[in-house]
Amino acid sequence: MAFYGDVFRRAGSYLSVGEPVLGPGDVAPGLEQDLLGAWWHEAARTDERVAPQDADTLPAEAQWVQRALRQLSNSRFFSGIALRSMVSDLKQVTQYLTVPEVREEAQGRVIKAVGPDTRVVVGHSLGSVVAYEALCAMPGHGVRALVTLGSPLGIAHLVFDRLEPSPLDGRGTWPGGEDTTWTNVADMRDVVALEKDLRPRFGDRVRNALVDNGAQAHSVIPYLTDRITGEAIAGGLL
């Protein structure tokens, strides 16, 4: 397993009395707020407990961020997740896509973990983006199967158009050779996997599957224990 979680961690420091860890004011304009809005839109589409955005009556920016986080906390998807964790997730995606040093270090650890005998690479959530880009950076690798779970790879403008290598004429690079298979697995209620079908972005060779993860739509555990995921992994090992 390639670990790069420490790449996103800020250096430790002592908090002043009453100083919050992360809150609505830490959601930066641009990519972070755009991604938050995309999560909100998808949560409202799939969960009746989440009020939709009203484009005609959006309040000031700071109030909008607070409202978005509050609505997401009402959703089944983000149930039990602390507000600071939601903000932290937004910042991890933004860091990876906009800070070259972070991207290079995370990819480097995946590349180092892929040896000559590696046949299957599995990536979950942002990890699917790292895995995809790492394989694209390794021409001639021997990986037979890429399996992406709960992947945000297909989100136009926010993720897809920021990929390296850059998509050409609206089509992303294939992450391997002719014998490399790619299986993408998504839960219909997975807010992170906004685009469930990756074929419009990466071609008809991508095998897309929809699964039901129950109350844990984005959790890696139900994804990994689904039969479709197991078959995709086993197929790459044959």
Side-chain angles (χ1 to χ4, degrees):
M1 178 179 291
F3 177 75
Y4 44 81
D6 58 301
V7 177
F8 299 100
R9 296 185 63 180
R10 296 180 296 179
S13 62
Y14 290 103
L15 295 176
S16 301
V17 176
E19 182 181 349
V21 179
L22 283 174
D26 296 297
V27 180
L31 180 56
E32 288 181 19
Q33 290 189 8
D34 291 343
L35 185 57
L36 177 62
W39 283 358
W40 184 4
H41 176 79
E42 182 66 5
R45 187 186 70 83
T46 59
D47 191 335
E48 70 280 359
R49 299 193 299 185
V50 179
Q53 302 178 46
D54 187 343
D56 296 326
T57 58
L58 283 180
E61 181 179 285
Q63 294 175 316
W64 179 89
V65 171
Q66 290 179 332
R67 184 182 172 208
L69 291 169
R70 184 169 61 251
Q71 289 299 326
L72 287 175
S73 67
N74 291 335
S75 70
R76 294 184 179 88
F77 183 89
F78 286 103
S79 177
I81 297 178
L83 182 147
R84 64 178 180 273
S85 295
M86 280 190 266
V87 177
S88 177
D89 289 344
L90 287 168
K91 290 190 172 297
Q92 283 193 13
V93 175
T94 302
Q95 278 187 278
Y96 180 79
L97 294 174
T98 62
V99 181
E101 295 81 4
V102 170
R103 196 176 208 149
E104 182 179 352
E105 181 65 23
Q107 279 188 36
R109 297 192 189 184
V110 173
I111 291 171
K112 184 177 180 180
V114 177
D117 60 343
T118 303
R119 294 293 175 262
V120 181
V121 171
V122 180
H124 172 250
S125 195
L126 177 60
S128 69
V129 181
V130 184
Y132 166 82
E133 290 193 336
L135 291 182
C136 287
M138 302 174 63
H141 64 71
V143 174
R144 296 172 181 167
L146 170 63
V147 183
T148 50
L149 311 172
S151 176
L153 275 164
I155 306 177
H157 309 302
L158 302 182
V159 177
F160 178 74
D161 294 285
R162 298 171 184 267
L163 292 175
E164 295 180 359
S166 298
L168 183 62
D169 296 328
R171 181 61 57 87
T173 299
W174 188 254
E178 290 298 319
D179 59 344
T180 302
T181 63
W182 181 357
T183 303
N184 181 62
V185 186
D187 183 290
M188 279 300 297
R189 295 177 301 277
D190 191 334
V191 171
V192 174
L194 292 178
E195 297 294 336
K196 318 301 180 187
D197 188 350
L198 295 185
R199 288 175 295 181
R201 305 288 186 204
F202 298 95
D204 292 338
R205 293 170 61 188
V206 183
R207 300 189 298 181
N208 288 273
L210 294 177
V211 298
D212 185 355
N213 291 341
Q216 297 178 306
H218 189 61
S219 172
V220 69
I221 296 174
Y223 270 128
L224 285 174
T225 55
D226 192 273
R227 184 181 185 90
I228 290 176
T229 302
E231 289 175 346
I233 293 173
L237 298 174
L238 296 178

